[in-house]
Amino acid sequence: MNGSERAAPRRRPRRLVVVVSILAAIAVAAGVVAVLWRNSGAHEASTREAEERFGAQSSTLPAAPRVLRPPAGVYMYRGTGTEHLSLPPKSQDQGPRMPATITHRADGCWTFRIDYNSAHWQTWVYCPRDGGLVERGGETFERWDFVFTTYDSTSTFTCDPPSVAIRATMHAGDRWQQRCTGTSSGTKGTATTAGPYTFVGEERLTIGGTALAAYHFRQERTIGGSQTGTQTSELWFAVKDGLPLRNERDQTVHTDTPIGSSTYTEHGSFELTSLTPQR
């Protein structure tokens, strides 16, 4: 056996060591990315941020009899929920602390905003009208952290004419239609959400040890246009002033993206912990 033939066996172990080292490095990198992927994203919403935001926006209109407008302030809700994207696959939790603000507007309407987590909030604009309450629209913001990049989305919806949320006179089983249209950043076109809204009846809820009368509604909506899907919500408002007391919801939305069709699903609930605002 000549010299070159004797040297060959010595090179193979070195090549094997290099290959094993590369594979080990890839495995470690993949593990780090997996940990970052799991740990990235939303966390519990901040009460302090809600208080600062309210302080910058606050205005107070006087209480008026038979006007469905709750006191302005920062309210605390407790809840739970999950939100999930199919593409890229990612999930985020909601709650358990969900601070909310009610701000009064110069036109007599009021805005209810709740933070489900640090990366997802939603608003509704309500207006007292003829002894009842109508919804003029609202916004939803979400942020998704994919480790190497983040994606922000803001959806703005308008109900024109305003959707009736509470009638001055109604009976259990009464049903009427609601319809709103809107756009979402990053998605071309307009989406429409419409469907029946049913007054289930008047019920008694206990909030922070206090029992009070509440209106219970069931909202069913179909989404069409630039996005498609369905929404189902159970809503409770205080009979006295329209304060949102409880919310239970399920939502599925399909959106076409540059990398394919992505499905968003959300299941969650929240309930007020005290009738007295924190500030």
Side-chain angles (χ1 to χ4, degrees):
M1 183 176 294
N2 58 35
S4 62
E5 292 175 331
R6 288 194 301 273
R10 297 191 186 96
R11 295 191 186 98
R12 291 187 185 125
R14 294 192 186 107
R15 294 195 188 99
L16 181 60
V17 170
V18 172
V19 172
V20 171
S21 298
I22 293 173
L23 292 176
I26 292 173
V28 170
V32 170
V33 171
V35 171
L36 292 174
W37 186 271
R38 289 194 302 269
N39 295 336
S40 64
H43 50 80
E44 192 176 48
S46 168
T47 302
R48 179 181 59 81
E49 291 179 3
E51 291 174 343
E52 292 176 352
R53 184 173 60 252
F54 174 75
Q57 302 175 346
S58 62
S59 62
T60 300
L61 296 175
R66 300 181 61 82
V67 173
L68 297 180
R69 184 174 56 237
V74 180
Y75 292 81
M76 185 56 60
Y77 291 77
R78 301 282 296 183
T80 184
T82 57
E83 46 200 58
H84 176 76
L85 279 178
S86 65
L87 184 69
K90 184 80 171 179
S91 295
Q92 298 184 150
D93 293 328
Q94 299 177 354
R97 179 179 58 207
M98 297 182 184
T101 57
I102 289 179
T103 53
H104 292 169
R105 298 160 53 104
D107 59 5
C109 301
W110 51 277
T111 300
F112 174 69
R113 166 174 165 161
I114 187 164
D115 289 49
Y116 301 121
N117 54 40
S118 61
H120 184 184
W121 53 259
Q122 186 169 2
T123 69
W124 293 263
V125 177
Y126 292 110
C127 301
R129 177 177 294 179
D130 301 327
L133 193 68
V134 298
E135 178 189 348
R136 284 177 39 179
E139 288 187 322
T140 300
F141 171 84
E142 287 190 78
R143 172 178 291 117
W144 292 87
D145 186 345
F146 300 112
V147 181
F148 301 109
T149 186
T150 59
Y151 173 74
D152 292 356
S153 174
T154 301
S155 298
T156 303
F157 275 79
T158 301
C159 309
D160 186 17
S163 296
V164 176
I166 300 175
R167 283 179 172 173
T169 302
M170 53 189 177
H171 303 88
D174 285 353
R175 172 181 290 196
W176 56 93
Q177 296 293 313
Q178 294 183 327
R179 185 179 186 275
C180 306
T181 59
T183 59
S184 180
S185 61
T187 302
K188 296 180 180 180
T190 300
T192 299
T193 171
Y197 187 75
T198 304
F199 176 47
V200 179
E202 187 173 319
E203 301 174 358
R204 301 288 291 182
L205 295 184
T206 300
I207 304 296
T210 301
L212 74 162
Y215 293 132
H216 178 192
F217 296 91
R218 178 174 298 113
Q219 184 183 69
E220 302 167 90
R221 291 188 175 183
T222 299
I223 304 169
S226 59
Q227 296 175 303
T228 60
T230 58
Q231 292 176 311
T232 302
S233 300
E234 302 284 336
L235 310 170
W236 287 262
F237 297 89
V239 170
K240 177 183 177 181
D241 55 15
L243 176 65
L245 302 176
R246 181 188 294 174
N247 178 299
E248 301 174 0
R249 65 203 177 280
D250 287 283
Q251 179 176 335
T252 301
V253 180
H254 309 286
T255 305
D256 289 331
T257 73
I259 60 175
S261 178
S262 181
T263 298
Y264 171 83
T265 56
E266 179 181 349
H267 172 72
S269 64
F270 61 79
E271 183 170 318
L272 184 64
T273 63
S274 173
L275 297 171
T276 303
Q278 294 194 359
R279 59 170 297 176

